[in-house]
Amino acid sequence: MRQPLVAGNWKMNGSRASVAELLDGIKAGLDEVKVAEVAVCPPFVFVPEAQARLQGTAVAWGGQDLSVHESGAYTGEIAGSMLADYGCRYVIVGHSERRSYHHETDALVAEKFAAARKAGLVPIFCVGETLEERESNVTEAVVGRQVDAVIAHCGVEMLGEGVIAYEPVWAIGTGKTATPEQAQEVHAFIRRRVEEASPAVAAKVRILYGGSMKPENAAELMSKEDIDGGLIGGASLKAADFLAICKAAN
Ligand code: 13P
């Protein structure tokens, strides 16, 4: 039985004041979240605030990216050990916004996955196709290639120590959600792909859906056999909406 995970990816949003309010709002509504594990991934500068307010609660926190390097002359980068030092449990790797705006390749993402594990963090490893790729019927080829890159570099056992997030690029921030059937189809494909390397890892690894998940569609998406939770962007910035999605896993 895989415990659902609902993780908020705040992206580049918030201020000290709004972050404090959001964290307190999430904390206040946790009692009704019975099933899902909950996590938030704020921008780096707000990670200490997340730690201060969430320590001792059931909510975990994490970063949105990390460096492949452990330390040194890498201006602007954040090491996994720094995130771990602030109590992070998770770190997102390979988000499509990093892949497209920062030219992160499958190989770099795989290195980031390994760097996260080395620092003791649980990577939330994102995969997903663009609209053009979906329309050219190469969704499985693209997602399969993205998954294979981590298996090749890290090994399937290490992949199983992370969480996979299927985020169709065309559904991110567009209000256009994949239908539960469309999402389930790709989730099942991902699980079969992992199964070829290890049936045991395939059975246990959590695969989250991300892309315009909201209170209205979360329960139906998460009711699908291979959808083990959500990676939430926009709707994670409002405590009430985020909590409603967390409760949808009940
Ligand atoms: P939205 O929920 O805003 O579509 O973003 C999804 C996402 O990219 C989460 O990582």
Side-chain angles (χ1 to χ4, degrees):
M1 184 65 192
R2 299 181 293 267
Q3 186 192 13
L5 168 66
V6 178
N9 173 9
W10 294 0
K11 306 191 180 183
M12 196 175 74
N13 292 292
S15 62
R16 287 180 76 179
S18 74
V19 160
E21 193 185 321
L22 180 52
L23 290 167
D24 288 348
I26 293 169
K27 259 194 329 198
L30 277 179
D31 281 355
E32 290 166 72
V33 181
K34 310 244 183 273
V35 176
E37 183 190 351
V38 180
V40 294
C41 297
F44 290 133
V45 289
F46 300 131
V47 165
E49 189 69 25
Q51 181 183 37
R53 287 180 194 258
L54 297 176
Q55 197 126 56
T57 74
V59 183
W61 57 95
Q64 298 175 8
D65 181 37
L66 82 165
S67 173
V68 293
H69 304 290
E70 288 180 37
S71 66
Y74 301 102
T75 302
E77 296 261 86
I78 302 281
S81 61
M82 298 172 184
L83 294 172
D85 206 7
Y86 277 94
C88 287
R89 172 167 172 75
Y90 291 102
V91 64
I92 298 170
V93 299
H95 192 280
S96 65
E97 287 149 18
R98 302 284 323 165
R99 290 179 189 260
S100 63
Y101 306 143
H102 302 274
H103 314 291
E104 293 196 4
T105 60
D106 290 339
L108 183 77
V109 172
E111 280 185 56
K112 289 191 171 191
F113 194 112
R117 287 305 302 138
K118 194 160 184 198
L121 302 167
V122 178
I124 300 176
F125 161 53
C126 303
V127 298
E129 82 288 4
T130 62
L131 182 59
E132 199 188 347
E133 288 163 342
R134 174 160 283 263
E135 287 174 345
S136 324
N137 289 315
V138 292
T139 297
E140 293 191 352
V142 169
V143 171
R145 187 200 72 216
Q146 292 169 334
V147 171
D148 288 351
V150 169
I151 296 177
H153 183 76
C154 303
V156 70
E157 294 301 325
M158 192 188 284
L159 174 68
E161 294 163 2
V163 175
I164 300 172
Y166 170 57
E167 299 207 309
V169 179
W170 49 272
I172 296 177
T174 57
K176 235 181 171 183
T177 320
T179 65
E181 293 69 31
Q182 276 175 323
Q184 165 60 25
E185 203 179 315
V186 181
H187 282 236
F189 165 77
I190 293 169
R191 206 176 298 284
R192 285 198 305 274
R193 193 73 163 215
V194 177
E195 200 171 20
E196 286 166 20
S198 165
V201 170
K204 76 162 194 196
V205 73
R206 291 183 289 187
I207 308 177
L208 314 183
Y209 169 79
S212 299
M213 203 192 248
K214 350 175 223 280
E216 301 80 61
N217 59 25
E220 208 190 339
L221 282 158
M222 289 193 269
S223 72
K224 292 291 179 193
E225 191 182 338
D226 291 296
I227 303 184
D228 307 312
L231 183 56
I232 322 300
S236 73
L237 298 171
K238 281 194 196 140
D241 286 357
F242 185 60
L243 286 163
I245 296 171
C246 297
K247 279 186 261 174
N250 285 352

